[in-house]
Amino acid sequence: MAAAVIDTVASVPVAIVGAGPAGLMLAHLLGRAGVETIVIDTRSRREIETTQRAGILEADTARDLVETGVSDRILREGHEHEGTELRFGGRPHRIHFKELVGESVWLYPQTDVFIDLADARHRDGGTVHFDIQDTEVLGITTDAPRVRYTAPDGTRHEIRARYVVGADGSRSMCRDLVPEDRRVRYGKEYPFAWFGIMAEAPMSAPELVYAHSEHGFALISRRTETVQRMYFQCGSDESVDAWPDDRIWETLQARVAGQDGFRLKEGPILEKTVLRFRSFVQEPMRWGSMALAGDAAHTVPPTGARGLNLALHDVKVLAGVLLRALGSEGEAALDEYQPRALQRVWRAQNFSYWMTQLLHTAPGGTSFDLQRQLGELDNVVGTRAGRTYLAEQYTGWPTRPQN
């Protein structure tokens, strides 16, 4: 496509490939500082905003959406959770975040975060092109990189920028632009998946419930007051066609059953999905005039609810160093991005892995493995240090200076 006729050329300081929450938040933060951006995405806006995805936002992430002027809708329509419940051995155990670390989390779907950011970009006059094709990123080892794409009407366009940011998700094409012999990819595949449902039913619990049983893991969450989101551990090759509604409810009820008589409130199942997951990190996160952010650079299992929060932390750091790089410090300022971002990435990888192995039943696990897990869970809930560790990790490490 490089030889195709270019119909228009636009110049901006920063071009952003990917209009998910990471790309749009970066554009928003830079726009507040007076830096113009152009954001592009192969998906349509409707496709992104109708892809239902859950979301637990760390305390700082929720504050940033409000305090940077994206939207205060999270305060009106989100659900603040001051704790969470671990169920194991047939009994519930609440981890009280607010009491332990003075923070809470917000249940607010990633879909709504995207809608708020897309609306904010439109409100503020930002340039975002959805539904484009044939993306090319050229010249990233120079100080004049270019991004080319084809618009929905078939016209071909070029963006000339000083810096390019690849925020194009877990199937990123931007991360492949780092030469194979100069990149390192770390990863771990998990031998199980989550079977997820959306059900029309009253909520079963006021906060998230993480359940461990000899039959496997389950997570009880919610979408709205009348629509609930739930997951249970299944095989990585599972098919939704093998799971009629009755079997799903029987499985979920067995995994949360306990001495307290707790039962899920059932209703018609609206959606079924199988969510396969892995741990992944690519280094470097910056190559020449290009930086990677969010899922383009790293993914985590959903157990610890870190993915969206990591992406938004990446761009918070990146916005600051880009402003310095575009100012008097020049490109050297970008050297700070990777070490600051990766410190949080690897801490989150550790926590997500820890939560995953803590709560899931590994294929081929023995009775010893089950009893050892129960001992570890007892250590977590039975000591203040254990409860505090989980609360600190789950609510997020502060990004602002602490007194």
Side-chain angles (χ1 to χ4, degrees):
M1 294 295 297
V5 174
I6 300 298
D7 295 286
T8 69
V9 175
S11 296
V12 289
V14 180
I16 302 171
V17 181
L24 293 181
M25 186 62 163
L26 178 61
H28 173 73
L29 294 174
L30 292 175
R32 280 171 53 87
V35 174
E36 187 180 358
T37 62
I38 295 177
V39 188
I40 62 171
D41 202 292
T42 57
R43 300 165 294 176
S44 68
R45 171 168 173 164
R46 177 167 177 76
E47 179 184 352
I48 302 173
E49 67 186 15
T50 56
T51 301
Q52 296 296 327
R53 300 185 67 178
I56 292 290
L57 302 187
E58 296 173 357
D60 270 349
T61 302
R63 279 191 287 262
D64 287 343
L65 290 172
V66 177
E67 293 178 4
T68 67
V70 175
S71 172
D72 65 355
R73 187 161 68 105
I74 186 174
L75 302 179
R76 292 177 279 111
E77 300 180 22
H79 303 279
E80 185 177 13
H81 287 187
E82 295 186 355
T84 194
E85 180 180 301
L86 298 184
R87 291 184 66 83
F88 64 93
R91 295 188 298 135
H93 307 267
R94 185 165 188 255
I95 307 297
H96 198 310
F97 300 153
K98 202 80 168 181
E99 178 185 277
L100 291 162
V101 297
E103 292 287 12
S104 57
V105 296
W106 288 80
L107 178 67
Y108 193 64
Q110 181 170 325
T111 308
D112 288 351
V113 174
F114 165 78
I115 291 171
D116 291 346
L117 285 163
D119 287 348
R121 284 283 74 209
H122 179 74
R123 175 199 69 201
D124 297 341
T127 303
V128 183
H129 298 301
F130 294 102
D131 211 15
I132 59 92
Q133 299 177 11
D134 305 321
T135 306
E136 292 181 290
V137 179
L138 309 168
I140 60 171
T141 57
T142 74
D143 60 4
R146 295 160 291 149
V147 178
R148 292 179 175 176
Y149 66 94
T150 302
D153 64 2
T155 54
R156 189 75 176 154
H157 304 271
E158 180 173 285
I159 307 167
R160 296 178 181 174
R162 177 60 188 89
Y163 298 106
V164 172
V165 174
D168 50 339
S170 60
R171 294 182 176 86
S172 172
M173 56 82 67
C174 288
R175 69 174 171 227
D176 291 337
L177 298 176
V178 180
E180 188 172 358
D181 63 344
R182 303 300 296 273
R183 68 188 185 223
V184 179
R185 290 178 173 174
Y186 304 92
K188 178 176 177 58
E189 301 289 337
Y190 292 83
F192 38 72
W194 281 6
F195 195 107
I197 66 166
M198 293 266 278
E200 186 177 345
M203 69 177 184
S204 296
E207 297 171 337
L208 267 66
V209 177
Y210 286 84
H212 169 280
S213 81
E214 60 183 331
H215 306 294
F217 166 83
L219 171 61
I220 311 305
S221 182
R222 66 172 170 171
R223 180 65 176 83
T224 67
E225 297 296 325
T226 58
V227 177
Q228 313 308 317
R229 183 179 290 279
M230 305 180 192
Y231 303 91
F232 61 86
Q233 178 183 340
C234 66
S236 57
D237 58 351
E238 201 68 64
S239 168
V240 296
D241 297 332
W243 288 86
D245 292 7
D246 288 350
R247 185 186 177 198
I248 290 171
W249 285 118
E250 182 181 353
T251 299
L252 282 166
Q253 296 287 13
R255 295 189 185 186
V256 301
Q259 300 165 8
D260 57 352
F262 176 69
R263 283 189 60 82
L264 302 173
K265 296 176 180 178
E266 301 182 10
I269 294 177
L270 309 174
E271 178 184 297
K272 305 175 186 179
T273 58
V274 174
L275 176 62
R276 298 169 181 87
F277 49 89
R278 64 175 182 145
S279 299
F280 171 83
V281 179
Q282 173 167 308
E283 297 181 25
M285 290 178 64
R286 177 258 176 131
W287 185 255
S289 296
M290 181 187 73
L292 301 173
D295 285 359
H298 46 74
T299 58
V300 292
T303 324
R306 299 300 86 196
L308 176 58
N309 294 287
L310 272 184
L312 295 182
H313 179 263
D314 281 355
V315 298
K316 186 175 184 177
V317 173
L318 185 55
V321 298
L322 280 171
L323 291 175
R324 288 161 47 202
L326 291 166
S328 59
E329 293 185 45
E331 187 173 324
L334 283 183
D335 292 342
E336 190 177 313
Y337 171 54
Q338 175 169 302
R340 286 180 59 190
L342 278 181
Q343 180 185 34
R344 197 177 187 94
V345 167
W346 282 113
R347 290 176 76 176
Q349 289 287 2
N350 176 68
F351 176 62
S352 298
Y353 174 83
W354 176 74
M355 281 279 285
T356 300
Q357 63 83 30
L358 178 70
L359 293 164
H360 291 74
T361 303
T366 66
S367 58
F368 173 86
D369 297 322
L370 175 62
Q371 294 302 319
R372 189 212 57 78
Q373 274 186 314
L374 292 172
E376 186 174 7
L377 282 160
D378 191 43
N379 269 327
V380 172
V381 304
T383 65
R384 184 174 182 87
R387 295 192 301 274
T388 301
Y389 173 76
L390 194 151
E392 286 175 340
Q393 302 288 309
Y394 203 91
T395 58
W397 312 280
T399 57
R400 61 187 63 200
Q402 299 298 292
N403 295 326

